Amino acid sequence: MQPKTPFRHLLHIFQDRFFESDDAAPGAGFQTNIYQVLGFLVTAGFIIAYMMLPTMSMIMNRSKPGDLPWAIRGFQLFSPSYTFAIIGFATFFEWDMLFPNRRDFLILASFPIRLRDLFAAQIVALSKFLALLILAVNIFPTLVIALMSLNARYRGNALRFVAAHITLTIGISAFAFIAIAAFQGILINVTGPRLFRRLSPWFQMCGMSLMILSILLSPIYIGFLRRAAETNQLWIWLFPPVWFTGIYDLFLPNPHGLFAVLGVYACEMFVAAFAVFALTWTLGFRRHYRRTLEVEDSPPLLRHSRSSRYFARDRKSTRL
């Protein structure tokens, strides 16, 4: 059996970081809690797929699926909104695991490891984690649409609809993950290691709250979708799930109107987010690695020395 290469060792380490949990029960493995979360996501996807059955039946049996009523367009918006919120929440929840932290850099710096192997292992670990989330969130809704397409009246249009749905779910999931990682890369490049560690919990808290609100407020913005599209309101150009809803109009026959334009805009924003992610992570990885090793952790040492003098005085007073 061939020994593991440094890249495979690093990949195993970074993959385990996504599964570690300090809340695991005694004697339980680190993977217990994350698999429970994935099981919850799969169950939630099954419930949503079951709720989608009547509307999906209506869509699959229409003669002109490109000319959908606004009620169905609003229903189509829920799927990317749900996917965007869940993937975004999970990414913010794992915010500290996306980029190697100070402990990783300090420990791995003592080994003869190339920085490019470290960077490649982290990217591959992130890709596997994203694929696992996409599978857990979207497997049942996609299967329901695929199975219903077999009984559709116009099978050619139904197959296109399935292809559009798969492209939409993968696209919005990858966009949510990459956009948040790109935002983290920007922070890493404009802040130092200490400031980044101080700001991270606040961004993490605000991000998870916004993702929850995007689901809770879905009945409101879905109800305003028709008026917003007819008057070309600004918020539909700022809300990614609306962009990716236009993917349906790109796949179905005779794409037209604002939603087809939004579908093209979604593709452009995905490319832009990926470019920012690649640039900021490529530049920030080496920079953050170097600055983490150079920075001196003086405040904790100062607090430690003050606390030591305090307890020393306390022991002297006790002896007297």
Side-chain angles (χ1 to χ4, degrees):
M1 182 177 180
Q2 296 181 353
K4 288 185 177 181
T5 62
F7 172 79
R8 294 182 62 185
H9 276 293
L10 292 171
L11 179 59
H12 181 72
I13 291 172
F14 289 142
Q15 284 182 163
D16 288 345
R17 286 173 56 83
F18 292 109
F19 295 98
E20 290 182 2
S21 175
D22 296 332
D23 298 329
F30 285 125
Q31 299 178 349
T32 301
N33 283 1
I34 189 64
Y35 283 142
Q36 293 174 352
V37 172
L38 292 176
F40 172 78
L41 294 179
V42 171
T43 304
F46 176 79
I47 296 174
I48 291 176
Y50 181 78
M51 296 172 59
M52 290 168 58
L53 285 174
T55 306
M56 287 300 103
S57 178
M58 184 190 311
I59 294 175
M60 293 297 181
N61 291 284
R62 288 185 61 87
S63 59
K64 297 180 179 180
D67 185 21
L68 300 176
W70 283 103
I72 298 179
R73 283 197 179 275
F75 183 83
Q76 287 179 341
L77 179 58
F78 177 77
S79 178
S81 300
Y82 169 77
T83 304
F84 178 77
I86 296 300
I87 299 295
F89 183 90
T91 307
F92 274 114
F93 184 78
E94 299 286 353
W95 173 276
D96 295 332
M97 306 299 177
L98 300 181
F99 204 88
N101 57 26
R102 181 173 178 270
R103 183 189 62 180
D104 294 329
F105 285 140
L106 292 177
I107 294 176
L108 296 175
S110 59
F111 295 93
I113 299 174
R114 294 178 299 183
L115 190 61
R116 63 182 181 182
D117 289 337
L118 188 67
F119 181 74
Q122 182 67 21
I123 295 298
V124 174
L126 288 176
S127 302
K128 289 187 175 182
F129 180 69
L130 174 60
L132 193 63
L133 287 177
I134 293 175
L135 182 64
V137 173
N138 299 299
I139 182 171
F140 276 112
T142 304
L143 285 177
V144 167
I145 292 177
L147 291 175
M148 292 188 64
S149 66
L150 299 177
N151 297 322
R153 182 182 303 173
Y154 297 90
R155 187 163 299 180
N157 291 332
L159 293 178
R160 290 186 179 185
F161 185 86
V162 173
H165 182 78
I166 293 175
T167 304
L168 181 149
T169 52
I170 295 177
I172 190 67
S173 302
F175 176 82
F177 190 89
I178 291 173
I180 295 172
F183 176 68
Q184 188 184 62
I186 294 174
L187 286 179
I188 288 171
N189 281 274
V190 300
T191 62
R194 291 180 184 172
L195 183 59
F196 176 76
R197 292 198 299 269
R198 292 179 181 177
L199 294 178
S200 288
W202 296 97
F203 285 112
Q204 188 178 15
M205 178 187 64
C206 294
M208 290 190 294
S209 300
L210 289 175
M211 293 302 163
I212 294 176
L213 286 176
S214 67
I215 285 293
L216 296 180
L217 298 178
S218 58
I220 297 177
Y221 59 73
I222 288 176
F224 291 138
L225 180 62
R226 179 175 183 176
R227 181 181 299 177
E230 290 176 348
T231 57
N232 198 9
Q233 295 181 5
L234 178 62
W235 71 268
I236 63 176
W237 295 94
L238 302 177
F239 193 45
V242 182
W243 312 342
F244 284 87
T245 305
I247 298 294
Y248 290 115
D249 292 75
L250 297 180
F251 274 79
L252 297 176
N254 301 319
H256 64 280
L258 178 63
F259 285 93
V261 177
L262 288 171
V264 176
Y265 183 70
C267 298
E268 295 174 350
M269 293 303 295
F270 179 87
V271 173
F274 184 82
V276 173
F277 165 76
L279 180 62
T280 56
W281 273 59
T282 302
L283 298 177
F285 201 88
R286 183 182 296 275
R287 176 180 178 272
H288 198 72
Y289 176 80
R290 184 181 66 253
R291 296 190 65 178
T292 300
L293 297 180
E294 293 175 353
V295 68
E296 294 182 0
D297 197 7
S298 56
L301 294 177
L302 181 61
R303 289 194 298 267
H304 177 72
S305 60
R306 289 178 179 176
S307 61
S308 300
R309 290 196 298 268
Y310 172 78
F311 285 112
R313 291 197 302 267
D314 185 67
R315 285 196 297 269
K316 289 181 180 179
S317 61
T318 304
R319 290 176 183 177
L320 294 177

